């Protein structure tokens, strides 16, 4: 009614999904670019803090229990490498959804030749779908939502770690707490990790959206519209939620408070038993069977726990151990510099594109 006679060419030979799916591909592509920018900014923040704390000692924990010494920088390097993988996943998913189709009601090009589709897609920077039904196949969208959900799960993992290390009895890390901010309406002393908790909660939403995307793959015959209402929620919501999560967590990483002194205190809290593995291997190197060495080291570790005594002191008083290892050799087994001798090599492997700055 507005265009006039030329209106007969509008929507000519096309079904609605030719327009909607092709346009949606453009939106998803541009949204992926925003997420990729967010991921790059997050990794820049992680990298800065990783180098800042490359040799900051802390205790590594397995099963929630003290394991062996590590550095905060190596923990952050692990985050950096994981974010890099998320960047690659989103890039791959971007390419998978960057397709258009103008092949008609059942994908047969009954009214428009493939050349028209090819020309339109070329102008839009899209790849023509090699074959389609009435819709672009939703396994593509499920792959994209999977990439977004995995990125959110990584953020959840990082945020959960900060939450755990912010516990009062641990006190090694703390998310930023601004002037005038309130942690609790009832308890003025509270400084709660609410940002990290929000990220953990929102990651659950993205996993739920990912599940819905998998449900959208199976449609009746050449298409039904059971996927349509779902996508109107899960696609914009997932991109918006992840964008927020990435921006917020970038601010958390950049402003994260670190307590090296508390990290060292916690490392030393177990009275040196975290070096038991090194002592075990030193005994094995000198010809003691692993079973025998394990028994010697474990009995001293258990005495350290039970009697609250220094593990190294117990080893130095154990004639079985000192009959094999000299006091300087035992001392060396407790040297953090020995534990951290390959930190720079780890950093070179993780931050391969960048030179490692001098300490």
């Amino acid at each position: 009614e507005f265009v006039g006679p030329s209106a007969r060419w509008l929507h000519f030979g096309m079904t609605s999904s030719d327009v909607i799916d092709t346009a949606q591909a453009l939106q998803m592509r541009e949204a992926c670019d925003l997420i990729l920018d967010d991921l790059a900014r997050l990794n820049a923040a992680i990298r800065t803090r990783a180098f800042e704390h490359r040799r900051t000692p802390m205790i590594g924990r397995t099963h929630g229990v003290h394991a062996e010494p590590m550095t905060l920088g190596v923990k952050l390097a692990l985050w950096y490498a994981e974010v890099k993988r998320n960047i690659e996943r989103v890039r791959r998913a971007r390419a998978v959804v960057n397709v258009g189709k103008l092949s008609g009601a059942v994908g047969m090009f009954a009214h428009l030749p493939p050349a028209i589709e090819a020309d339109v897609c070329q102008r839009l920077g899209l790849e023509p779908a090699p074959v389609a039904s009435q819709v672009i196949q939703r396994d593509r969208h499920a792959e994209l939502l999977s990439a977004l959900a995995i990125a959110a799960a990584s953020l959840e993992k990082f945020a959960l770690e900060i939450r755990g290390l912010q516990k009062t009895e641990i006190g090694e890390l703390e998310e930023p707490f601004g002037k005038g901010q309130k942690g609790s309406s009832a308890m003025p002393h509270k400084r709660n990790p609410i940002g990290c908790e929000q990220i953990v909660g929102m990651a659950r939403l993205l996993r739920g959206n990912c599940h819905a995307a998998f449900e959208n793959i199976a449609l009746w015959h050449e298409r039904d519209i059971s996927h349509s209402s779902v996508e109107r929620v899960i696609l914009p919501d997932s991109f918006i939620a992840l964008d927020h999560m990435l921006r917020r967590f970038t601010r958390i990483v950049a402003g994260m408070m670190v307590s090296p002194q508390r990290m060292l205190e916690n490392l030393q809290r177990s009275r040196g038993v975290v070096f038991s593995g090194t002592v075990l291997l030193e005994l094995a190197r000198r010809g003691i069977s692993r079973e025998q060495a394990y028994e010697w080291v474990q009995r001293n570790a258990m005495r350290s726990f039970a009697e609250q005594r220094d593990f190294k002191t117990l080893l130095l008083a154990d004639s079985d151990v000192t009959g094999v290892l000299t006091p300087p050799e035992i001392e060396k087994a407790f040297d953090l510099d020995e534990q951290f001798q390959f930190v720079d090599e780890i950093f070179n492997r993780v931050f391969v594109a960048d030179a490692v700055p001098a300490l």
Side-chain angles (χ1 to χ4, degrees), residues 29-249:
R29 182 179 72 192
E30 292 182 12
C32 283
D33 290 339
L34 295 175
I35 295 298
L36 288 167
D37 287 343
D38 290 340
L39 287 165
R41 281 191 290 268
L42 171 59
N43 243 8
I46 293 173
R47 183 187 186 282
T48 297
R49 301 310 300 270
F51 279 102
E52 177 186 351
H53 293 286
R54 177 165 50 180
R55 298 189 72 84
T56 299
M58 67 182 300
I59 187 62
R61 297 170 173 89
T62 59
H63 307 275
V65 178
H66 285 201
E68 291 187 346
M70 62 180 300
T71 74
L72 176 57
V74 170
K75 184 185 291 287
L76 294 172
L78 184 141
W79 294 7
Y80 181 93
E82 186 160 340
V83 173
K84 279 182 68 175
R85 293 193 297 276
N86 281 304
I87 288 171
E88 290 306 311
R89 272 189 282 266
V90 174
R91 282 178 178 161
R92 291 195 297 267
R94 180 190 185 277
V96 169
V97 298
N98 192 46
V99 296
K101 62 90 63 181
L102 279 79
S103 54
V106 293
M108 295 298 293
F109 296 100
H111 308 295
L112 291 175
I116 298 293
E117 179 186 79
D119 182 60
V120 170
C121 287
Q122 190 274 327
R123 295 187 189 201
L124 297 176
L126 298 171
E127 289 293 323
V131 61
S133 60
Q134 189 174 105
V135 295
I136 292 173
Q137 301 305 288
R138 262 45 192 179
D139 63 287
R140 297 178 182 271
H141 302 65
E143 183 170 344
L144 171 61
L145 267 292
S146 297
L148 301 185
I150 293 171
S154 293
L155 296 181
E156 177 185 21
K157 166 183 166 180
F158 308 155
L160 194 65
E161 182 70 7
I162 294 174
R163 286 175 59 193
L165 296 178
Q166 189 168 330
K167 290 179 181 179
T168 303
E169 56 269 30
I170 296 178
E172 296 178 359
L173 297 180
E174 185 176 351
E175 72 173 50
F177 192 86
K179 185 178 180 181
Q181 182 177 337
K182 295 179 180 179
S184 166
S185 60
M187 296 171 283
H189 72 279
K190 294 280 280 179
R191 295 159 66 103
N192 301 328
I194 58 172
C196 289
E197 289 173 342
Q198 182 189 81
I199 286 166
V200 168
M202 294 180 74
R204 299 169 186 168
L205 291 175
L206 267 79
R207 283 196 291 277
N209 290 350
C210 179
H211 175 77
F214 276 90
E215 296 295 321
N216 279 352
I217 294 174
L219 304 177
W220 279 22
H221 307 300
E222 277 54 65
R223 95 104 18 148
D224 58 57
I225 63 167
S226 59
H227 66 290
S228 178
S229 56
V230 180
E231 287 175 358
R232 294 179 195 187
V233 176
I234 65 173
L235 288 176
D237 278 14
S238 295
F239 278 111
I240 291 168
L242 184 57
D243 174 70
H244 170 74
M245 293 168 69
L246 286 164
R247 289 169 181 266
R248 183 155 198 184
F249 194 67

Side-chain angles (χ1 to χ4, degrees), residues 280-281 283-285 287-299:
L280 170 68
L281 295 180
L283 289 168
R285 282 193 180 97
I288 305 301
S289 73
R290 185 179 182 88
E291 291 76 15
Q292 183 65 77
Y294 196 99
E295 192 276 325
W296 292 351
V297 174
Q298 187 184 49
R299 77 186 179 207

Side-chain angles (χ1 to χ4, degrees), residues 299-312:
R299 77 186 179 207
N300 284 286
M302 295 305 105
R303 281 190 67 193
S304 176
F305 286 130
E307 301 172 16
Q308 298 188 6
R309 294 178 61 184
D310 181 67
F311 179 57
K312 181 167 60 177

Side-chain angles (χ1 to χ4, degrees), residues 6-37:
S6 297
R8 69 185 188 276
W9 300 112
L10 292 177
H11 214 284
F12 186 89
M14 294 195 296
T15 186
S16 296
S17 292
D18 288 329
V19 179
I20 294 169
D21 280 9
T22 301
Q24 187 166 263
L26 299 175
Q27 292 176 306
M28 291 188 294
R29 182 179 72 192
E30 292 182 12
C32 283
D33 290 339
L34 295 175
I35 295 298
L36 288 167
D37 287 343

